[in-house]
Amino acid sequence: DEAMAVLHERYKDEPGTTDVLTFDLRDTPDDPLEADIVLCRDEAARQAAARGHDTRLELLLYAVHGLMHLLGERDDTEPAAARMHAREDALLAA
């Protein structure tokens, strides 16, 4: 939590921890995919316990979520978030 909170504040100007941060390291969108995806294990453990599944599955969700952002998915509006979450569910179920 502490390390994620520092990154969240530094790169998103948001206080506190978060589940996942994604950093696109490409110079242009046409370059091969190069990125860092930072997952918060503490948040994953909390969420997994609340949802009744294993922490590793919650971390997998965070990794998929970060990758989808790198591929251009957005979740900054309610409709966009609903579409993104439905696609995440489909990918994870597959």
mmCIF file of all heavy atoms in Angstrom, residues 40-51 53-56 58-59 62:
data_model
loop_
_atom_site.group_PDB
_atom_site.id
_atom_site.type_symbol
_atom_site.label_atom_id
_atom_site.label_comp_id
_atom_site.label_asym_id
_atom_site.label_seq_id
_atom_site.Cartn_x
_atom_site.Cartn_y
_atom_site.Cartn_z
ATOM 1 N N CYS A 40 -1.088 -3.613 -6.956
ATOM 2 C CA CYS A 40 -1.014 -3.486 -5.504
ATOM 3 C C CYS A 40 -1.529 -4.763 -4.850
ATOM 4 O O CYS A 40 -2.736 -5.027 -4.827
ATOM 5 C CB CYS A 40 -1.816 -2.286 -5.022
ATOM 6 S SG CYS A 40 -1.662 -2.025 -3.234
ATOM 7 N N ARG A 41 -0.626 -5.561 -4.304
ATOM 8 C CA ARG A 41 -1.008 -6.828 -3.691
ATOM 9 C C ARG A 41 -1.878 -6.616 -2.455
ATOM 10 O O ARG A 41 -2.802 -7.384 -2.207
ATOM 11 C CB ARG A 41 0.245 -7.632 -3.324
ATOM 12 C CG ARG A 41 -0.101 -9.039 -2.892
ATOM 13 C CD ARG A 41 1.149 -9.860 -2.600
ATOM 14 N NE ARG A 41 0.861 -11.247 -2.474
ATOM 15 C CZ ARG A 41 0.115 -11.808 -1.540
ATOM 16 N NH1 ARG A 41 -0.471 -11.061 -0.631
ATOM 17 N NH2 ARG A 41 -0.075 -13.114 -1.503
ATOM 18 N N ASP A 42 -1.601 -5.582 -1.679
ATOM 19 C CA ASP A 42 -2.412 -5.321 -0.482
ATOM 20 C C ASP A 42 -3.867 -5.044 -0.856
ATOM 21 O O ASP A 42 -4.786 -5.578 -0.236
ATOM 22 C CB ASP A 42 -1.844 -4.148 0.324
ATOM 23 C CG ASP A 42 -0.490 -4.458 0.935
ATOM 24 O OD1 ASP A 42 -0.207 -5.639 1.211
ATOM 25 O OD2 ASP A 42 0.288 -3.510 1.132
ATOM 26 N N GLU A 43 -4.080 -4.209 -1.860
ATOM 27 C CA GLU A 43 -5.445 -3.911 -2.314
ATOM 28 C C GLU A 43 -6.093 -5.164 -2.892
ATOM 29 O O GLU A 43 -7.272 -5.433 -2.649
ATOM 30 C CB GLU A 43 -5.432 -2.779 -3.344
ATOM 31 C CG GLU A 43 -6.799 -2.397 -3.860
ATOM 32 C CD GLU A 43 -7.720 -1.800 -2.817
ATOM 33 O OE1 GLU A 43 -7.269 -1.403 -1.720
ATOM 34 O OE2 GLU A 43 -8.926 -1.730 -3.094
ATOM 35 N N ALA A 44 -5.324 -5.938 -3.637
ATOM 36 C CA ALA A 44 -5.852 -7.183 -4.208
ATOM 37 C C ALA A 44 -6.292 -8.145 -3.108
ATOM 38 O O ALA A 44 -7.341 -8.779 -3.218
ATOM 39 C CB ALA A 44 -4.806 -7.840 -5.109
ATOM 40 N N ALA A 45 -5.509 -8.244 -2.052
ATOM 41 C CA ALA A 45 -5.872 -9.133 -0.944
ATOM 42 C C ALA A 45 -7.167 -8.678 -0.276
ATOM 43 O O ALA A 45 -8.034 -9.504 0.040
ATOM 44 C CB ALA A 45 -4.731 -9.197 0.068
ATOM 45 N N ARG A 46 -7.320 -7.390 -0.085
ATOM 46 C CA ARG A 46 -8.557 -6.858 0.510
ATOM 47 C C ARG A 46 -9.762 -7.133 -0.378
ATOM 48 O O ARG A 46 -10.801 -7.603 0.075
ATOM 49 C CB ARG A 46 -8.431 -5.352 0.774
ATOM 50 C CG ARG A 46 -7.626 -4.992 1.992
ATOM 51 C CD ARG A 46 -7.760 -3.512 2.331
ATOM 52 N NE ARG A 46 -7.222 -2.647 1.287
ATOM 53 C CZ ARG A 46 -5.947 -2.293 1.181
ATOM 54 N NH1 ARG A 46 -5.056 -2.738 2.070
ATOM 55 N NH2 ARG A 46 -5.545 -1.489 0.220
ATOM 56 N N GLN A 47 -9.618 -6.820 -1.650
ATOM 57 C CA GLN A 47 -10.731 -7.001 -2.585
ATOM 58 C C GLN A 47 -11.071 -8.478 -2.768
ATOM 59 O O GLN A 47 -12.251 -8.837 -2.859
ATOM 60 C CB GLN A 47 -10.419 -6.344 -3.933
ATOM 61 C CG GLN A 47 -10.333 -4.846 -3.882
ATOM 62 C CD GLN A 47 -11.621 -4.201 -3.410
ATOM 63 O OE1 GLN A 47 -12.719 -4.616 -3.785
ATOM 64 N NE2 GLN A 47 -11.491 -3.193 -2.564
ATOM 65 N N ALA A 48 -10.061 -9.313 -2.842
ATOM 66 C CA ALA A 48 -10.307 -10.750 -2.994
ATOM 67 C C ALA A 48 -11.054 -11.301 -1.784
ATOM 68 O O ALA A 48 -11.995 -12.094 -1.932
ATOM 69 C CB ALA A 48 -8.981 -11.498 -3.190
ATOM 70 N N ALA A 49 -10.665 -10.883 -0.607
ATOM 71 C CA ALA A 49 -11.357 -11.336 0.602
ATOM 72 C C ALA A 49 -12.812 -10.873 0.602
ATOM 73 O O ALA A 49 -13.723 -11.646 0.934
ATOM 74 C CB ALA A 49 -10.634 -10.825 1.852
ATOM 75 N N ALA A 50 -13.046 -9.640 0.190
ATOM 76 C CA ALA A 50 -14.411 -9.105 0.146
ATOM 77 C C ALA A 50 -15.260 -9.818 -0.900
ATOM 78 O O ALA A 50 -16.470 -9.972 -0.717
ATOM 79 C CB ALA A 50 -14.371 -7.604 -0.143
ATOM 80 N N ARG A 51 -14.632 -10.269 -1.977
ATOM 81 C CA ARG A 51 -15.363 -10.914 -3.079
ATOM 82 C C ARG A 51 -15.353 -12.436 -2.987
ATOM 83 O O ARG A 51 -15.964 -13.108 -3.817
ATOM 84 C CB ARG A 51 -14.781 -10.462 -4.407
ATOM 85 C CG ARG A 51 -14.988 -8.977 -4.650
ATOM 86 C CD ARG A 51 -14.427 -8.531 -5.976
ATOM 87 N NE ARG A 51 -14.816 -7.146 -6.205
ATOM 88 C CZ ARG A 51 -13.976 -6.204 -6.554
ATOM 89 N NH1 ARG A 51 -12.697 -6.472 -6.728
ATOM 90 N NH2 ARG A 51 -14.408 -4.971 -6.749
ATOM 91 N N HIS A 53 -12.746 -14.647 -3.328
ATOM 92 C CA HIS A 53 -11.882 -15.434 -4.217
ATOM 93 C C HIS A 53 -10.417 -15.208 -3.861
ATOM 94 O O HIS A 53 -10.099 -14.407 -2.988
ATOM 95 C CB HIS A 53 -12.175 -15.162 -5.701
ATOM 96 C CG HIS A 53 -12.028 -13.744 -6.127
ATOM 97 N ND1 HIS A 53 -13.086 -12.968 -6.485
ATOM 98 C CD2 HIS A 53 -10.939 -12.945 -6.267
ATOM 99 C CE1 HIS A 53 -12.667 -11.765 -6.827
ATOM 100 N NE2 HIS A 53 -11.365 -11.723 -6.702
ATOM 101 N N ASP A 54 -9.543 -15.907 -4.543
ATOM 102 C CA ASP A 54 -8.113 -15.896 -4.242
ATOM 103 C C ASP A 54 -7.457 -14.584 -4.701
ATOM 104 O O ASP A 54 -7.839 -14.020 -5.729
ATOM 105 C CB ASP A 54 -7.445 -17.084 -4.936
ATOM 106 C CG ASP A 54 -6.059 -17.336 -4.426
ATOM 107 O OD1 ASP A 54 -5.937 -17.922 -3.332
ATOM 108 O OD2 ASP A 54 -5.093 -16.918 -5.107
ATOM 109 N N THR A 55 -6.462 -14.161 -3.950
ATOM 110 C CA THR A 55 -5.734 -12.934 -4.275
ATOM 111 C C THR A 55 -5.117 -13.004 -5.663
ATOM 112 O O THR A 55 -5.111 -12.014 -6.395
ATOM 113 C CB THR A 55 -4.645 -12.660 -3.221
ATOM 114 O OG1 THR A 55 -5.278 -12.522 -1.948
ATOM 115 C CG2 THR A 55 -3.848 -11.409 -3.529
ATOM 116 N N ARG A 56 -4.636 -14.161 -6.057
ATOM 117 C CA ARG A 56 -4.000 -14.268 -7.380
ATOM 118 C C ARG A 56 -4.993 -13.976 -8.499
ATOM 119 O O ARG A 56 -4.627 -13.420 -9.535
ATOM 120 C CB ARG A 56 -3.327 -15.619 -7.573
ATOM 121 C CG ARG A 56 -4.254 -16.776 -7.683
ATOM 122 C CD ARG A 56 -3.522 -18.119 -7.834
ATOM 123 N NE ARG A 56 -4.489 -19.185 -7.856
ATOM 124 C CZ ARG A 56 -5.195 -19.534 -8.934
ATOM 125 N NH1 ARG A 56 -5.014 -18.907 -10.081
ATOM 126 N NH2 ARG A 56 -6.073 -20.516 -8.875
ATOM 127 N N GLU A 58 -7.533 -11.853 -8.253
ATOM 128 C CA GLU A 58 -7.718 -10.400 -8.230
ATOM 129 C C GLU A 58 -6.533 -9.713 -8.913
ATOM 130 O O GLU A 58 -6.713 -8.760 -9.679
ATOM 131 C CB GLU A 58 -7.883 -9.909 -6.785
ATOM 132 C CG GLU A 58 -8.325 -8.485 -6.664
ATOM 133 C CD GLU A 58 -9.783 -8.232 -7.057
ATOM 134 O OE1 GLU A 58 -10.588 -9.181 -7.158
ATOM 135 O OE2 GLU A 58 -10.112 -7.062 -7.273
ATOM 136 N N LEU A 59 -5.325 -10.215 -8.665
ATOM 137 C CA LEU A 59 -4.141 -9.662 -9.329
ATOM 138 C C LEU A 59 -4.208 -9.874 -10.840
ATOM 139 O O LEU A 59 -3.812 -9.000 -11.614
ATOM 140 C CB LEU A 59 -2.867 -10.282 -8.750
ATOM 141 C CG LEU A 59 -2.499 -9.810 -7.347
ATOM 142 C CD1 LEU A 59 -1.427 -10.712 -6.744
ATOM 143 C CD2 LEU A 59 -2.038 -8.357 -7.368
ATOM 144 N N TYR A 62 -6.358 -7.243 -12.266
ATOM 145 C CA TYR A 62 -5.636 -5.973 -12.348
ATOM 146 C C TYR A 62 -4.678 -5.952 -13.540
ATOM 147 O O TYR A 62 -4.546 -4.937 -14.228
ATOM 148 C CB TYR A 62 -4.858 -5.693 -11.065
ATOM 149 C CG TYR A 62 -5.689 -5.541 -9.828
ATOM 150 C CD1 TYR A 62 -5.085 -5.478 -8.583
ATOM 151 C CD2 TYR A 62 -7.078 -5.469 -9.858
ATOM 152 C CE1 TYR A 62 -5.822 -5.335 -7.415
ATOM 153 C CE2 TYR A 62 -7.825 -5.342 -8.701
ATOM 154 C CZ TYR A 62 -7.193 -5.269 -7.481
ATOM 155 O OH TYR A 62 -7.916 -5.135 -6.339
#
